[in-house]
Amino acid sequence: MDGLARLLDTFFNTEVAARYWPDILAGVWITIGVGVAVTATGLALGFALAILRAKQTPWFSIPIVMFADIMRALPPLIIIIVFFFAFPLIGISMSAFTATWLSLSLVLAAYAEESLWGAILSLPRGQSEAARSTGLTWWQTMCAVILPQALRLALPPLTNRVIAVSKNVALGSVVALSEVLNNAQSATSTAGNPTPLTMAAAAYLAIFIPAMILARRMENRMQWRV
Amino acid sequence: MSSSPILELVGLRKAYGPLEVLRGIDLAVRAGEMVCVVGPSGSGKSSMLRCCNRLEEPTGGRIVVDGTEITGGGVDINALRQKIGMVFQQFNLYPHLSALGNVTLALRKVRGKSAAEADALGLAALKRVGLADKAKIYPGQLSGGQQQRVAIARAIVLQPKLMLFDEPTSALDPETVGEVLKVMRELRESGMTMLVVTHEMGFAREAADRVIFMDGGAIVEQGPPHEIFGAPKHERTRAFLTRYTSWA
Ligand SMILES: Nc1ncnc2c1ncn2[C@@H]1O[C@H](COP(=O)(O)OP(=O)(O)OP(=O)(O)O)[C@@H](O)[C@H]1O
Ligand SMILES: [Mg+2]
């Protein structure tokens, strides 16, 4: 066999691919499911924290800053391991899905909070003063004046972070979450051939390239309105 | 001239930490009166204005607007603020909303008007400042003078009893100052009560009913414009005015 044939046989083995594609596809659904769930809860929690922090009371701000710093400093892998392996010792057990979803949601929330908070802070004070001077409440000002502008400013870092954190669903393999990468790895060792890993890579591209295109379109659309 | 005060400041004090910037201001502005406030930078003009709608919390004294004391607990400040329009040096228009969207936001959110009602009132307000044709335009595409006129429309659409202006023309190109002053003059002629911090001495001299000179957190001197500008009694007023006119 020449080099090219060996490469094809090793990484693009059709026989192995035919045998294991249902496993890979099952993993794709798990990856997408966890990714979407993490995006929803992570952004929701992050936005809620940024808005609470904008209240500028130390009772909220100090714990929020601590939470955001810790969650951004720790490798997500460690957080997943703690939730899955350490929490049962204090009587809190959870599935691999829950541990991965919860960990990544908290990580995304920390980054989303920082991005949105930074955007809120960068708006001129006069924006909220103008709104308050016409009788809008703090909350009305937040919803109608501050958030629409802050979300637009924060959109590029937010979309980048959503993609980065969703990719980390692969870390769920350490707690045996049957997402794409985990299924591909087990398939690889049973088959004795790394073709499933190639399939996993293709699956990642199929999931994330459209996500990136969608993100870019959202950013462009937001930029044109002003 | 009517004599009931729309705005009454009694012994108003304001301190930022140890720094006392208002040291007991007593001032009454009657209905329909236009009072211009002049004074050197840091004399507390903005602080006084911003206490009047409690964008800054006063540290002492009383503020009465249209018969209601707005200082102290138990007041619905959001309801009261609708009676007090404010125009800022930097316009502070909402960049994500059209001119009409800027003007109608409070009508919709605070007054609970329907979109159609709010738009009709908003268009009428834009018309008063000569910008009915710019209703759909976003602030980024308006000149400074136009933006400031939209900001005035945003305030008057709520039919306030009192309008506060904090250096409304200081951030404008010289060629657009006139159009904003013209709108302010028309507003005054329509009977609006106005308290105006300004460095436009010409405007104060010719349009104000009364001019206040502030320095060091206190009112040093006040009177009709021809007295303050023509024959200032106080040495500090004289020094300020000569310095100001020689710079201008
Ligand atoms: N938020 C604040 N915190 C601390 N000090 C402040 C604050 N706002 C104003 N000051 C101080 O209070 C004093 C009065 O300020 P103010 O803005 O009322 O003056 P001004 O007469 O409006 O001046 P200018 O003509 O420059 O606008 C100044 O010394 C200023 O530095
Ligand atoms: Mg000022």
Side-chain angles (χ1 to χ4, degrees):
Chain A
M1 273 206 281
D2 67 356
L4 181 65
R6 271 224 309 278
L7 179 82
L8 288 177
D9 188 57
T10 310
F11 287 98
F12 301 91
N13 188 313
T14 46
E15 201 184 309
V16 174
R19 200 165 354 123
Y20 289 102
W21 75 263
D23 283 1
I24 302 295
L25 190 65
V28 165
W29 293 124
I30 299 281
T31 296
I32 291 179
V34 179
V36 168
V38 164
T39 303
T41 46
L43 290 181
L45 179 61
F47 291 174
L49 291 176
I51 291 167
L52 271 182
R53 192 169 168 191
K55 280 265 183 201
Q56 297 196 305
T57 47
W59 281 107
F60 291 133
S61 299
I62 293 170
I64 291 170
V65 172
M66 281 169 57
F67 165 80
D69 285 355
I70 291 170
M71 285 298 155
R72 291 182 307 153
L74 286 174
L77 185 64
I78 294 182
I79 304 173
I80 295 174
I81 289 172
V82 166
F83 274 122
F84 192 74
F85 294 109
F87 274 33
L89 303 179
I90 54 167
I92 306 170
S93 306
M94 56 187 86
S95 65
F97 175 92
T98 308
T100 309
W101 163 71
L102 201 56
S103 308
L104 297 182
S105 292
L106 294 179
V107 172
L108 179 57
Y111 281 102
E113 185 278 325
E114 285 297 307
S115 299
L116 189 60
W117 169 246
I120 289 174
L121 213 57
S122 75
L123 295 176
R125 253 183 90 90
Q127 288 293 308
S128 60
E129 289 181 350
R132 297 306 303 274
S133 78
T134 57
L136 268 72
T137 61
W138 185 90
W139 179 244
Q140 288 171 327
T141 301
M142 188 46 92
C143 293
V145 174
I146 303 301
L147 284 181
Q149 297 183 58
L151 281 172
R152 176 153 59 200
L153 286 174
L155 193 63
L158 282 174
T159 52
N160 280 336
R161 192 52 66 175
V162 163
I163 287 167
V165 173
S166 301
K167 234 162 41 185
N168 277 340
V169 172
L171 297 175
S173 57
V174 295
V175 292
L177 178 71
S178 44
E179 46 70 51
V180 179
L181 190 64
N182 191 26
N183 288 7
Q185 273 171 331
S186 6
T188 296
S189 49
T190 29
N193 177 292
T195 297
L197 285 178
T198 310
M199 295 163 76
Y204 269 93
L205 292 179
I207 296 171
F208 285 104
I209 296 283
M212 287 172 190
I213 291 172
L214 187 73
R216 194 166 305 132
R217 281 176 125 177
M218 265 167 62
E219 283 164 26
N220 289 342
R221 249 227 344 256
M222 292 291 244
Q223 254 151 31
W224 281 110
R225 271 182 46 207
V226 163
Chain B
M1 196 178 283
S2 161
S3 61
S4 64
I6 290 286
L7 171 72
E8 206 175 354
L9 308 180
V10 185
L12 178 66
R13 289 181 175 276
K14 172 67 188 173
Y16 298 103
L19 178 70
E20 189 164 52
V21 298
L22 296 178
R23 303 157 189 268
I25 302 275
D26 294 295
L27 174 67
V29 182
R30 292 183 301 275
E33 192 180 22
M34 177 159 116
V35 175
C36 281
V37 182
V38 301
S41 182
S43 56
K45 307 181 297 293
S46 296
S47 302
M48 178 180 80
L49 220 59
R50 292 161 58 83
C51 282
C52 292
N53 64 356
R54 282 184 49 192
L55 282 184
E56 300 290 355
E57 286 299 329
T59 40
R62 295 191 309 130
I63 302 172
V64 182
V65 174
D66 194 27
T68 313
E69 179 161 350
I70 69 163
T71 35
V75 295
D76 181 355
I77 192 63
N78 294 317
L80 281 162
R81 278 177 178 154
Q82 295 174 62
K83 290 187 178 184
I84 311 166
M86 189 168 214
V87 174
F88 303 84
Q89 182 176 347
Q90 300 297 337
F91 329 137
N92 298 342
L93 292 185
Y94 316 129
H96 61 299
L97 298 178
S98 67
L100 187 60
N102 269 271
V103 175
T104 55
L105 182 67
L107 287 176
R108 288 179 283 122
K109 298 282 167 193
V110 184
R111 294 271 167 91
K113 299 262 189 230
S114 70
E117 264 181 301
D119 284 356
L121 291 168
L123 274 173
L126 282 174
K127 201 168 165 194
R128 273 182 78 182
V129 300
L131 289 173
D133 57 328
K134 302 283 190 219
K136 297 251 154 55
I137 308 290
Y138 284 81
Q141 268 116 9
L142 297 171
S143 73
Q146 290 171 331
Q147 289 190 54
Q148 193 61 299
R149 283 148 66 197
V150 172
I152 293 173
R154 174 173 68 183
I156 62 177
V157 79
L158 297 170
Q159 300 187 297
K161 299 280 187 180
L162 167 72
M163 285 280 291
L164 307 170
F165 292 82
D166 194 357
E167 300 195 32
T169 59
S170 293
L172 295 177
D173 292 333
E175 59 266 31
T176 62
V177 168
E179 63 190 63
V180 171
L181 294 181
K182 175 169 170 282
V183 166
M184 290 171 65
R185 255 184 228 110
E186 287 165 1
L187 202 57
R188 169 185 167 11
E189 274 150 29
S190 75
M192 180 62 75
T193 310
M194 295 159 75
L195 184 58
V196 183
V197 173
T198 186
H199 289 304
E200 291 290 328
M201 297 302 162
F203 175 73
R205 178 171 213 148
E206 145 261 334
D209 296 298
R210 186 153 46 114
V211 175
I212 306 275
F213 173 68
M214 271 180 81
D215 194 11
I219 293 177
V220 175
E221 185 169 354
Q222 59 176 303
H226 65 266
E227 273 178 24
I228 298 292
F229 291 109
K233 293 191 191 66
H234 212 285
E235 179 50 41
R236 286 200 319 225
T237 319
R238 254 195 305 274
F240 170 76
L241 288 174
T242 44
R243 196 167 60 241
Y244 212 86
T245 37
S246 64
W247 277 102

